[in-house]
Amino acid sequence: MKKIIHLCSLSLCCLAQAISASSKPNILIMLSDDMGFSDLGCYGGEIKTPNLDSLAKNGIRFTQFYNTARCCPTRAALLTGLYSHQAGMGHMTHNSGATGYRGTLNHECVTIAEVLRAAGYSTYMCGKWHVAQDIRPDGDKSAWPIQRGFEKFYGTITGGGNFYDPTTLCRQNTFITPENDPEYKPAQKFYYTEALSDNAVKFLQQHSAEKQEKPFFMYLAFTAAHWPMHALEKDIAKYHGKFDDGYEPIRQARVKRMKQMGLMDSQWNISPQAGDWNSVTNRDWEARCMEVYAAMVDNLDQGIGRIVAQLKRAGQLDNTLIFFLQDNGGCAEAMGRDLNKPESPTPLKPFGPDDLQPKIWPPMQTRDGRWVRTGPQVMPGPPDSYVAYGKSWANVSNTPFREYKHWVHEGGISTPLIAHWPKGIPAKRRGKLEPQPGHLIDLMATCVDVAGAAYPENLNGEKIKPMEGVSLRPAFKGNSLARKNPIFWEHESNRAVRDGKWKLVAKENEPWELYDMQADRTEMHDLAKMQSRKVQELAAKWDAWAKRADVLPLGSWRKNVKP
């Protein structure tokens, strides 16, 4: 009898645990690369993004959400809930010697995957990692995804690269190539954006088959639409001729739609247009750059559609919290827009199935043995091209804001944030705009909140820094966020602080500028001279933050600072 009672009690306990686990939401965070604030259809763009538009229509669009202005710091802040310097990633993946600029995730932080895995979640990642300094096949992997909380990983350890033959492509901890991967054989041409979406779907299918009783966390980090402008011809064809009239008509059409949507106040002055279409000598090439860029975003959206369809088939969509956001603003970098060095007279040999690209930035040959070409004589899109879309189109992507990736003016740090969660967002809130400012650091706090997880004070003998962000969950119901501190930035000595309606911002070695973000979010009217006390107040807050958050000494991102 006692044995029967014990078995019954054990069964009830297991049932209670299963019910508790099933009530926890799945969490899916999707991050795109080098895209501007107004590129998505639901944020005013002309690019076809029906799947993201649908998530926005049935979820919430944050209108003042922020990243860090650059890929590596954004990924560190997103993953850890800390400012990037606190996680050791104040700049890129090189070690300058200063504490905040080690170039790899440190052990004073935890990732969302580590926290949620301890709370009973299965954890998956597909895509760009880019927060580890050591990317050698036989090197130190302690900062790679599998060692930082993820059970399954398919993606690239480094940053951007060829979409047809990505460098540092990995499955788990092992480098692979598109040709020797036994688990993914696309029917048509390998294309990295599609490969990420397809592998994400596969992970979700495996989860449903093997671990349906457990909630999951998935981090999907696309490299689209980072240069090079690579896209499949079937996607490029949709945009032939769409950008032939140049920058200004596209930009003005976006402004009109953004005002209609409520994303832009009619009183704001749009920032100056970059580039004069009338002076462009190779318009076919310039228009093609934007056609390919649009096709890259389009393909990304198609993949998101397949992922959402899988969630629906598995009956998991209603209880999956989905976030979509971008790592920085549109990119004005000129990579590949000038002619590269003449081709060597030495013939190139095609790679074998196991051969890895020997050069990362950029790879100088295709897998089938062709030279990679750059410059205005090379139409972007195919594997042997390596071209960025340039400053003028980046200005269009960032409509209506100033500046670009690298800078902490609004064009560099403003990102869409779509939140979709049918079980957690009331019906009356769906399709609404949420104006409260938020930051990447808030995603960890949100995940901990909705998952009922415990954020650790210590892990593996290391003291863990406390979370910096606040949960976004109250905003899902239209309530105020519990933010007590301003939001801060530093990247390449560009710096900013956002406190309520005020933003203090400066470029490297330049004076502070002050803006009223309610009246002038496009940062066209500097109030620093008129509001000197507010400048002093916010500058003091920035100084205090920089001191405690491992930002100082300012300029450490480029110096070899002694530890």
Side-chain angles (χ1 to χ4, degrees):
M1 186 68 181
K2 289 183 178 179
K3 186 176 182 179
I4 293 173
I5 293 172
H6 175 72
L7 288 173
C8 289
S9 299
L10 186 62
S11 298
L12 289 171
C13 181
C14 292
L15 178 62
Q17 289 177 347
I19 292 172
S20 176
S22 65
S23 66
K24 293 182 177 182
N26 306 306
I27 301 171
L28 169 60
I29 298 178
M30 298 184 290
L31 183 71
S32 69
D33 201 340
D34 278 20
M35 285 176 57
F37 183 75
S38 63
D39 281 327
L40 303 181
C42 53
Y43 278 81
E46 68 291 326
I47 301 173
K48 296 177 175 65
T49 55
N51 296 294
L52 283 168
D53 296 350
S54 178
L55 292 177
K57 182 179 179 180
N58 295 288
I60 295 172
R61 280 170 292 167
F62 285 75
T63 64
Q64 297 192 85
F65 205 79
Y66 291 111
N67 51 46
T68 71
R70 195 74 177 279
C71 45
C72 296
T74 279
R75 289 156 213 281
L78 183 157
L79 283 164
T80 67
L82 303 176
Y83 286 105
S84 52
H85 310 75
Q86 296 172 300
M89 289 295 308
H91 193 235
M92 304 295 282
T93 54
H94 64 271
N95 186 353
S96 74
T99 300
Y101 304 86
R102 298 295 190 189
T104 200
L105 282 186
N106 61 34
H107 294 289
E108 298 174 54
C109 66
V110 288
T111 68
I112 296 175
E114 289 171 319
V115 173
L116 294 189
R117 193 170 180 180
Y121 278 67
S122 294
T123 55
Y124 311 105
M125 182 186 170
C126 291
K128 172 176 170 177
W129 185 238
H130 212 195
V131 286
Q133 185 178 16
D134 198 331
I135 59 173
R136 297 171 298 165
D138 57 350
D140 177 13
K141 297 180 174 64
S142 61
W144 288 24
I146 295 300
Q147 284 65 243
R148 294 309 304 250
F150 290 97
E151 297 172 43
K152 293 184 179 181
F153 170 65
Y154 172 85
T156 42
I157 300 300
T158 189
N162 193 304
F163 282 75
Y164 303 99
D165 186 21
T167 51
T168 69
L169 183 65
C170 277
R171 190 173 290 284
Q172 300 299 88
N173 281 325
T174 302
F175 279 4
I176 56 175
T177 73
E179 294 184 12
N180 71 5
D181 182 5
E183 297 188 35
Y184 180 66
K185 300 290 185 183
Q188 303 296 324
K189 180 184 296 185
F190 177 95
Y191 182 64
Y192 190 39
T193 305
E194 289 191 338
L196 293 179
S197 300
D198 292 346
N199 277 271
V201 169
K202 181 179 179 181
F203 285 171
L204 293 175
Q205 290 172 339
Q206 291 172 340
H207 180 85
S208 292
E210 302 167 4
K211 300 180 180 180
Q212 192 171 22
E213 75 284 355
K214 296 183 69 174
F216 69 79
F217 167 64
M218 177 176 283
Y219 171 44
L220 174 55
F222 291 99
T223 53
H226 194 294
W227 48 259
M229 300 295 102
H230 280 168
L232 301 174
E233 194 56 45
K234 69 179 179 67
D235 297 322
I236 301 172
K238 301 177 188 179
Y239 298 95
H240 285 168
K242 298 292 186 183
F243 305 102
D244 287 356
D245 290 338
Y247 320 119
E248 188 64 19
I250 300 297
R251 203 160 179 253
Q252 290 300 329
R254 290 191 179 194
V255 166
K256 182 178 179 180
R257 286 190 294 269
M258 294 176 80
K259 288 180 178 179
Q260 291 171 344
M261 291 177 175
L263 293 164
M264 181 177 173
D265 193 300
S266 60
Q267 301 304 310
W268 298 347
N269 298 124
I270 186 172
S271 61
Q273 171 66 50
D276 177 10
W277 190 252
N278 292 325
S279 66
V280 174
T281 56
N282 194 341
R283 294 186 185 179
D284 288 345
W285 179 76
E286 188 71 1
R288 170 79 174 195
C289 286
M290 189 60 186
E291 290 172 5
V292 177
Y293 177 87
M296 296 170 76
V297 177
D298 189 308
N299 190 279
L300 177 152
D301 185 78
Q302 294 172 42
I304 290 173
R306 297 196 298 277
I307 292 165
V308 171
Q310 171 57 32
L311 292 173
K312 287 181 179 177
R313 284 194 297 270
Q316 296 175 325
L317 182 62
D318 284 356
N319 199 32
T320 299
L321 170 56
I322 299 174
F323 285 119
F324 176 87
L325 69 163
Q326 299 162 187
D327 70 343
N328 45 248
C331 176
E333 295 165 356
M335 171 65 77
R337 293 180 67 81
D338 295 321
L339 289 174
N340 60 1
K341 295 179 181 179
E343 298 176 3
S344 168
T346 306
L348 296 172
K349 293 182 180 180
F351 291 138
D354 299 329
D355 291 337
L356 304 176
Q357 280 278 2
K359 193 171 187 291
I360 294 177
W361 297 106
M364 293 312 295
Q365 76 166 79
T366 61
R367 292 205 70 80
D368 58 7
R370 289 174 290 155
W371 285 98
V372 171
R373 302 169 300 133
T374 66
Q377 307 305 317
V378 179
M379 286 296 185
D384 62 344
S385 67
Y386 210 94
V387 177
Y389 76 158
K391 182 176 181 178
S392 298
W393 287 122
N395 177 243
V396 173
S397 286
N398 292 339
T399 303
F401 300 130
R402 286 175 55 193
E403 302 302 340
Y404 312 90
K405 169 184 177 179
H406 293 268
W407 289 276
V408 295
H409 286 76
E410 293 293 284
I413 60 175
S414 297
T415 172
L417 178 69
I418 299 170
H420 181 277
W421 183 20
K423 280 194 175 181
I425 297 175
K428 65 180 181 180
R429 288 282 291 160
R430 294 172 195 171
K432 300 294 186 182
L433 301 178
E434 175 50 63
Q436 293 184 80
H439 189 278
L440 294 156
I441 56 174
D442 299 331
L443 295 181
M444 169 70 88
T446 306
C447 290
V448 168
D449 181 8
V450 302
Y455 183 89
E457 294 183 2
N458 298 277
L459 184 67
N460 299 325
E462 297 279 353
K463 185 174 178 59
I464 303 300
K465 294 177 180 178
M467 289 185 291
E468 291 281 348
V470 301
S471 175
L472 301 173
R473 192 177 193 177
F476 297 167
K477 297 183 178 181
N479 298 324
S480 298
L481 301 179
R483 193 179 307 282
K484 297 179 181 179
N485 298 314
I487 301 170
F488 299 96
W489 291 265
E490 186 280 333
H491 183 66
E492 297 183 336
S493 300
N494 304 308
R495 54 210 187 277
V497 54
R498 176 73 191 267
D499 192 7
K501 73 172 186 175
W502 295 105
K503 181 182 176 185
L504 193 69
V505 59
K507 294 183 178 180
E508 182 183 19
N509 296 324
E510 294 189 16
W512 287 112
E513 304 164 17
L514 179 69
Y515 298 99
D516 179 340
M517 302 303 279
Q518 291 179 357
D520 177 33
R521 193 179 168 200
T522 51
E523 299 170 312
M524 299 302 295
H525 303 286
D526 181 7
L527 303 177
K529 291 182 179 179
M530 297 172 57
Q531 298 274 358
S532 58
R533 287 189 178 180
K534 179 59 69 174
V535 170
Q536 292 173 1
E537 172 195 333
L538 294 178
K541 290 182 179 181
W542 189 91
D543 289 341
W545 167 78
K547 184 177 180 179
R548 74 168 181 82
D550 298 328
V551 175
L552 304 178
L554 194 62
S556 293
W557 60 279
R558 61 154 53 100
K559 296 178 180 178
N560 185 17
V561 179
K562 293 183 180 181

